Amino acid sequence: MGKKSRVKTQKSGSGAMAVVSPKEMMSLIAELLQKCSSAAASAGKEWEEYLQIRGLVERIRKKQKGMSIVFEGSREDHFPDLMSWAKENGASCECFTVANFGKEGYGLRATRDIKAEELFLWIPRKMLMTVESAQNSILAPLYSQDRILQAMGNVTLALHLLCERANPASFWLPYIRSLPQEYDIPLYYQQEDVQLLLGTQAVQDVLSQYKNTARQYAYFYKLVQTHPTASKLPLKDGFTFDDYRSVRSSRDMFVYLLHISVWAALMTLLLNLQITTGYNLEDDRCECVALQDYKENEQIYIFYGTRSNAEFVIHNGFFFQDNAHDRVKIKLGVSKSERLYAMKAEVLARAGIPASYVFALHCNEPPISAQLLAFLRVFCMTEDELKYYLLGERAINKIFTLGNSEFPVSWENEIKLWTFLETRAALLLKTYKTTSEEDRSMLEKPDLSLHSRMAIQLRLAEKQILEKALACGRAKRLCFQKKLEEGASLPCYEESDIALLENTEADAKLPVILRKVEEGQEIQVDEDSPLLNGMKVVYGTNAEDGERDQDDDVSTDTEGTPSEAFSSPALKMCSSNH
């Protein structure tokens, strides 16, 4: 199968192994665990907390210098063994080879023409590192007794990989040797690179990623050192922060399709959806099918999903310049102290939208989705407008127009919501320490490090999205002010014409949830509200039950509101944009 693996232990700068007192190390680990497990830092204190955690981690890393296991040679030296091992164990890899694509890094190059819909790669189950294989490994005793490990499959796989990496006879060693030692995600950034992200919408996720990784490492280091079932683990004498960081940085290859990224981990650039993967239960293997034709010597790409550039930088370590799915988070909510809160929350609930949530502003047009449009309309409604959407025989039907840009609530409401969006975008732009022009100038510097470049690119991309949203808000506000001044009539819809309830623009359909309200059930409203002069609102039973369909990526890769994961079985025209 090729040359045998040669493993060595890193040496410290002095040429000797780092000597660390177990008691001293456990003291540092305990301090780190306590710091990372404390209550979340108050607003404005997150950077200070990050510096404290990073300081502890650096002290630990310094004492662990020279303790990590590394393999001789470069990654590229181990690719031939990887391919030989794959062939010997039933994987198909005749259609491609591993190649270096310069700035794009290592990837797959087609060795012959590949047709669209052709099955060009499969990997048998026995080659996959899974939670199941971890349960049948030396990690099994610890796994069976630690509930946190059982609940975190990606961490189980990380420790599984580290145990196998320390085993010279591991079945997976040809694969493990081919993995990089470092990545380009913010976990590896210098402090000054992370500082470039201060003020961005992404910085909180960057700081949380570092804190979570440090907390997990401290917890599992303590577990490995103290739990009786961990006494035989190879990690016990050499479980470093750098080791854990390197395998946790590769979490995507663990999550996607039971470790299908034995190959995907080698790819670092997203273009279009050009291959698709799945699991063939009959043949018990993972399979990749091309979704387009590839010519011989062309690079084969994988689709990471509809991720924003913040997610690409944080989780994948690259910035995609032409990302049509880029977006910026924007947290909005109706204040519970507002007099009309109960009415607004009820209208939003009928539309399947929470009264407080993290939405998104998009890089394309329109910058807001149907869900955000509906939220802003309700957010800006007067009491009379709220009554219109709450009361009457056709109140439920009116909900369906909230996310449709063609049917405003009123000209005044449109002016309010677009003014709000314009103002909010302007305020967010003021939180950045640099202007867009300054960022562009910095990116022209030839000596800029890769990590600094990605941080500035991400910062600039956020500003550009906010600038577009601001310009759109201003244009819409002026447009509706003109309509109001001209006395233009509001567009009306025919309830019998379902087609009119669908927006013609992309990403502009509202998947409404109809909450079933039992006959006699009351809507809770503020007792001080003059709604109906103290009368209580009672509903009949003509509403349909909403059906929730959970999206796998609702927390990371979607629009940013759970309403995208809802659908109404009674109204097929209100479908999700996924």
Side-chain angles (χ1 to χ4, degrees), residues 259-276:
H259 226 63
I260 184 62
S261 28
V262 164
W263 311 111
L266 301 176
M267 306 176 197
T268 59
L269 183 71
L270 164 70
L271 285 185
N272 297 304
L273 180 53
Q274 297 176 350
I275 66 169
T276 186

Side-chain angles (χ1 to χ4, degrees), residues 297-339:
N297 293 323
E298 283 187 343
Q299 185 176 0
I300 302 171
Y301 292 101
I302 190 170
F303 183 61
Y304 284 89
T306 57
R307 292 188 169 190
S308 66
N309 269 322
E311 291 163 328
F312 281 135
V313 169
I314 294 169
H315 301 299
N316 302 100
F318 66 86
F319 180 90
F320 183 33
Q321 191 65 51
D322 299 315
N323 185 5
H325 305 291
D326 203 10
R327 54 193 178 272
V328 170
K329 293 179 181 179
I330 178 171
K331 186 174 183 178
L332 300 173
V334 182
S335 173
K336 290 185 178 181
S337 63
E338 182 182 341
R339 183 176 64 86

Side-chain angles (χ1 to χ4, degrees), residues 96-370:
F96 57 85
T97 187
V98 181
N100 190 334
F101 290 90
K103 292 182 179 180
E104 298 179 14
Y106 292 106
L108 302 186
R109 172 180 286 144
T111 55
R112 65 167 176 80
D113 290 353
I114 300 174
K115 297 295 183 182
E117 301 185 3
E118 178 181 347
L119 172 62
F120 72 96
L121 164 63
W122 60 82
I123 304 173
R125 172 182 283 273
K126 68 177 182 178
M127 292 180 63
L128 306 177
M129 296 190 80
T130 65
V131 171
E132 181 183 8
S133 64
Q135 290 174 293
N136 294 317
S137 72
I138 194 172
L139 195 62
L142 182 62
Y143 177 87
S144 66
Q145 295 191 32
D146 186 73
R147 292 185 177 181
I148 295 183
L149 199 58
Q150 294 169 12
M152 301 179 69
N154 53 350
V155 175
T156 297
L157 287 166
L159 297 183
H160 182 25
L161 189 149
L162 286 175
C163 287
E164 294 298 324
R165 189 171 75 174
N167 176 12
S170 172
F171 168 73
W172 289 285
L173 207 56
Y175 162 61
I176 295 171
R177 290 200 311 257
S178 71
L179 295 176
Q181 290 292 320
E182 294 186 351
Y183 295 82
D184 291 316
I185 62 175
L187 271 178
Y188 289 85
Y189 282 17
Q190 296 297 317
Q191 181 177 311
E192 54 268 27
D193 296 327
V194 179
Q195 199 162 2
L196 291 170
L197 292 171
L198 288 179
T200 67
Q201 306 305 303
V203 71
Q204 187 58 56
D205 290 336
V206 170
L207 302 185
S208 294
Q209 181 190 54
Y210 194 93
K211 180 179 180 179
N212 292 340
T213 302
R215 180 176 62 246
Q216 291 170 15
Y217 171 72
Y219 172 84
F220 287 108
Y221 182 94
K222 183 179 179 181
L223 185 71
V224 167
Q225 297 300 321
T226 60
H227 201 285
T229 60
S231 60
K232 295 183 179 180
L233 290 181
L235 297 178
K236 192 172 181 67
D237 297 325
F239 182 28
T240 69
F241 178 82
D242 285 351
D243 288 336
Y244 186 72
R245 177 173 62 171
S246 69
V247 293
R248 283 291 288 117
S249 300
S250 305
R251 71 175 186 148
D252 286 320
M253 67 185 170
F254 298 136
V255 174
Y256 289 136
L257 294 169
L258 298 174
H259 226 63
I260 184 62
S261 28
V262 164
W263 311 111
L266 301 176
M267 306 176 197
T268 59
L269 183 71
L270 164 70
L271 285 185
N272 297 304
L273 180 53
Q274 297 176 350
I275 66 169
T276 186
T277 55
Y279 197 83
N280 185 321
L281 292 175
E282 183 178 349
D283 293 328
D284 200 24
R285 66 189 188 187
C286 281
E287 298 181 341
C288 285
V289 176
L291 296 184
Q292 68 166 53
D293 291 342
Y294 286 100
K295 296 293 184 181
E296 183 179 355
N297 293 323
E298 283 187 343
Q299 185 176 0
I300 302 171
Y301 292 101
I302 190 170
F303 183 61
Y304 284 89
T306 57
R307 292 188 169 190
S308 66
N309 269 322
E311 291 163 328
F312 281 135
V313 169
I314 294 169
H315 301 299
N316 302 100
F318 66 86
F319 180 90
F320 183 33
Q321 191 65 51
D322 299 315
N323 185 5
H325 305 291
D326 203 10
R327 54 193 178 272
V328 170
K329 293 179 181 179
I330 178 171
K331 186 174 183 178
L332 300 173
V334 182
S335 173
K336 290 185 178 181
S337 63
E338 182 182 341
R339 183 176 64 86
L340 300 176
Y341 173 80
M343 297 175 71
K344 290 182 178 181
E346 177 62 25
V347 175
L348 288 169
R350 294 187 191 184
I353 302 173
S356 178
Y357 206 75
V358 178
F359 297 93
L361 297 175
H362 293 265
C363 65
N364 44 26
E365 294 292 340
I368 66 174
S369 67

